[in-house]
Amino acid sequence: MDASHVDGDLVNVLFSEDDIQQRLAEMAAQIEADYEGKDILLVGVLKGAIMVMADLSRAFSRHVEIDWMAVSSYGSGTKSSGVVRILKDLDTDISGRHVLIVEDIIDTGLTLSWLVSNLSSRKPASVEIATLLRKPDALQMSVDVKYVGWDIPNEFVIGYGLDYSERYRNLRCIGTLAPHVYS
C-alpha cells in the first residue's frame, strides 16, 4: 500500500520506501563490519519490527539467524501497566551468542530497557540494539542504542510496520498520522 491509498490520513511522508531501503542497507553494512567473524542472532520484536527485520536481514551479504519475541507492557487500555509480559519468547538459546535486538521504533525506552535486562540475564556474548526510528524527546529511560536509522520528532508515525489500531502496517513509507484519525 502506498501513501495515495491513505490520502487524508497522513500529515506528511517522513521517509519513502527508497529512503528506508537505502538506510537499512547502510545499517546492515555497518553491522556486518562491526560483527566481522562473529555469528549474529537478530531478535525482532513483534509485531512492529517485522518489516524492518525482513528488509534488514535481506540487506546482509552473509548469513544471519533470526528469532522473534513479543512483549507487552500494556494492560487492557492504552496506558502502560508498568509490568512487562512476554507473550512469545525466543526459540533459541542465546547463551554465548551475539544478540542484536531489532526494533521499528523506540519511544519511551521502558519496555526495551526491560527486554535488554531480560536477555542479558541469559548470558549472551553481547546484546546490542538496532532501530529504524528513535524519538529522543519521548525517552523516559536511557537505552544504549548502537544502530539508529533516524531520530524523529515525538509525533504519531505509521507505516512500514508501525500501526494505529493494527492499520497502516503495510504502508510502504513512514508518515505522520493526521490527528483526526486518532482523536
Side-chain angles (χ1 to χ4, degrees):
M1 177 168 68
D2 63 36
S4 67
H5 294 110
V6 292
D7 191 36
D9 290 358
L10 292 176
V11 173
N12 63 353
V13 172
L14 297 173
F15 306 105
S16 70
E17 183 177 13
D18 289 342
D19 295 335
I20 295 166
Q21 295 307 314
Q22 180 179 340
R23 186 66 186 116
L24 288 174
E26 294 166 358
M27 290 172 67
Q30 182 62 54
I31 293 165
E32 281 188 300
D34 291 349
Y35 285 89
E36 188 171 335
K38 299 175 184 171
D39 291 329
I40 310 169
L41 174 65
L42 303 179
V43 173
V45 182
L46 294 170
K47 298 179 189 173
I50 198 162
M51 305 297 186
V52 176
M53 180 75 124
D55 290 341
L56 179 67
S57 65
R58 287 189 294 222
F60 284 100
S61 59
R62 64 180 215 166
H63 295 289
V64 293
E65 290 182 48
I66 295 173
D67 205 343
W68 297 94
M69 286 189 81
V71 296
S72 173
S73 61
Y74 294 93
S76 58
T78 57
K79 296 252 181 190
S80 176
S81 66
V83 176
V84 178
R85 293 183 315 130
I86 295 176
L87 304 176
K88 187 240 177 272
D89 206 345
L90 296 174
D91 296 324
T92 307
D93 178 4
I94 64 169
S95 59
R97 304 288 309 270
H98 293 284
V99 175
L100 182 62
I101 300 169
V102 177
E103 274 280 27
D104 54 346
I105 190 166
I106 298 173
D107 283 302
T108 64
L110 296 171
T111 302
L112 188 55
S113 175
W114 179 90
L115 183 58
V116 169
S117 177
N118 179 283
L119 294 180
S120 295
S121 74
R122 302 179 193 195
K123 303 195 181 343
S126 66
V127 176
E128 299 290 352
I129 302 165
T131 187
L132 185 60
L133 305 173
R134 177 177 58 185
K135 295 181 180 178
D137 294 339
L139 286 174
Q140 296 177 20
M141 175 74 67
S142 178
V143 182
D144 185 24
V145 182
K146 190 161 186 176
Y147 308 99
V148 178
W150 293 285
D151 283 330
I152 63 169
N154 191 13
E155 298 175 337
F156 199 123
V157 294
I158 46 116
Y160 198 72
L162 300 158
D163 75 303
Y164 172 67
S165 294
E166 294 300 323
R167 297 180 56 140
Y168 307 101
R169 285 193 197 278
N170 61 325
L171 186 61
R172 291 184 186 108
C173 62
I174 295 173
T176 305
L177 188 62
H180 74 82
V181 176
Y182 58 89
S183 297

